[in-house]
Amino acid sequence: MTGTRTFITGDGCTIAYRLDGEAGRPVLVLSNSIATTHLMWDGQIADLARTFQVLRYDTRGHGLSDAPAGAWSLDRLGRDVLELTDALGIGRFHFCGLSLGGFVGQWLGVRAPERLDRLILSNTSPYLGPAPQWDALINTVLGARDMSALADMFMANWFPQHMRTHQPEIVERFRAMVMATSPEGLAGCFAVVRDSDLRRTNALVTVPTLVIGGIDDTVTLASHSEQIAETIPGARLALLPGVHMLNVEQAKDFVELVTTFLTNDPLLESRTLIRNSIERRDAAHSHAIP
């Protein structure tokens, strides 16, 4: 199957999705960051589709998916994934989510472990409170004339300065995704992050899990990745030199980690990319949102 298709969730929301790779291969579901679409994974699809059938979708409120009115819940975003895979006849699947997609992955690990083979949580956090900062951001989004200021904020948080200077074509593609995101969709997902706290429930995750973090991430700090890996029993941790969009900034290493972990390669344990801890740099960062 090629091209973008849609399905309708139980609450009447249209969700856009795309399948790449041969049917019959293990299914890998990719879940996007806030303010992006399934296109954020374009650079990794050719490599991943050699091994997996890759299912991408636009989180509600993003891309070609609907943006229903009102705040949403993490439970609703998680059920969107389950309903989509049910509609496609996919019983079990691997799941890789980045940032907001990682929140969804944590929910799936806690609430629907019977559907998961392996779980990858990239550049995410179990909790990004307190709530007032998110309420202020929601008000800003809904009151803005356009998304320009927010797009500038996202680009500064997502990519290192050298990429913004020397690879503007990549950064501009992501900026265009932010500019095209509906304010209601962004506000709805900000509310999801505001209300989510998985710090204790992550201990219930039983599926094999890999946590990937960016050493210089100012959005979801490296310590957040460590916290997730320490809470989920048996989770493995990979900390890469980079900021937030590691699938783009460190594309080769990112794809290698994902493929190695999902194919159960025993060499994963000895790879130098895997760390149990790092020299913390959090003190040098101001905690940015989102």
Side-chain angles (χ1 to χ4, degrees), residues 42-167:
D42 273 358
Q44 293 74 60
I45 294 303
D47 288 329
L48 292 174
R50 294 190 183 102
T51 306
F52 310 101
Q53 185 178 38
V54 183
L55 171 59
R56 296 178 283 167
Y57 69 101
D58 290 340
T59 302
R60 63 171 56 205
H62 294 69
L64 298 177
S65 293
D66 285 347
W72 311 323
S73 67
L74 184 57
D75 179 76
R76 181 62 259 177
L77 297 192
R79 286 189 287 123
D80 286 347
V81 175
L82 297 180
E83 291 180 18
L84 171 58
T85 49
D86 283 345
L88 296 175
I90 299 169
R92 293 178 64 90
F93 49 90
H94 301 305
F95 185 91
C96 175
L98 190 147
S99 198
L100 176 62
F103 274 90
V104 176
Q106 291 171 79
W107 185 92
L108 290 169
V110 173
R111 301 294 184 182
E114 73 283 355
R115 301 295 299 275
L116 299 178
D117 287 321
R118 293 194 165 219
L119 175 63
I120 299 175
L121 306 171
S122 181
N123 298 85
T124 192
S125 175
Y127 173 73
L128 282 176
Q133 64 183 349
W134 295 102
D135 291 333
L137 200 54
I138 289 169
N139 290 334
T140 297
V141 169
L142 295 178
R145 290 185 177 181
D146 61 40
M147 303 290 278
S148 297
L150 285 160
D152 291 342
M153 178 187 70
F154 277 114
M155 295 309 103
N157 290 343
W158 289 353
F159 298 105
Q161 182 61 55
H162 71 83
M163 283 191 69
R164 301 199 303 272
T165 301
H166 299 294
Q167 296 176 285

Side-chain angles (χ1 to χ4, degrees), residues 97-100 121-125 212-214 217 220 225 242-247 254:
L98 190 147
S99 198
L100 176 62
L121 306 171
S122 181
N123 298 85
T124 192
S125 175
I212 303 175
D217 193 340
T220 53
S225 295
V243 188
H244 194 62
M245 290 292 181
L246 288 181
N247 66 306
F254 186 93

Side-chain angles (χ1 to χ4, degrees), residues 202-220:
N202 274 343
L204 301 174
V205 177
T206 57
V207 300
T209 301
L210 171 65
V211 183
I212 303 175
I215 293 174
D216 296 308
D217 193 340
T218 61
V219 181
T220 53

Side-chain angles (χ1 to χ4, degrees), residues 24-38:
R25 290 176 176 171
V27 174
L28 169 59
V29 179
L30 299 177
S31 185
N32 54 287
S33 166
I34 201 166
T36 71
T37 73
H38 73 279

Side-chain angles (χ1 to χ4, degrees), residues 126 198-205 225-235:
L198 297 135
R199 288 175 290 183
R200 296 183 66 182
T201 54
N202 274 343
L204 301 174
V205 177
S225 295
E226 290 184 310
Q227 182 181 16
I228 295 171
E230 289 166 0
T231 303
I232 296 176

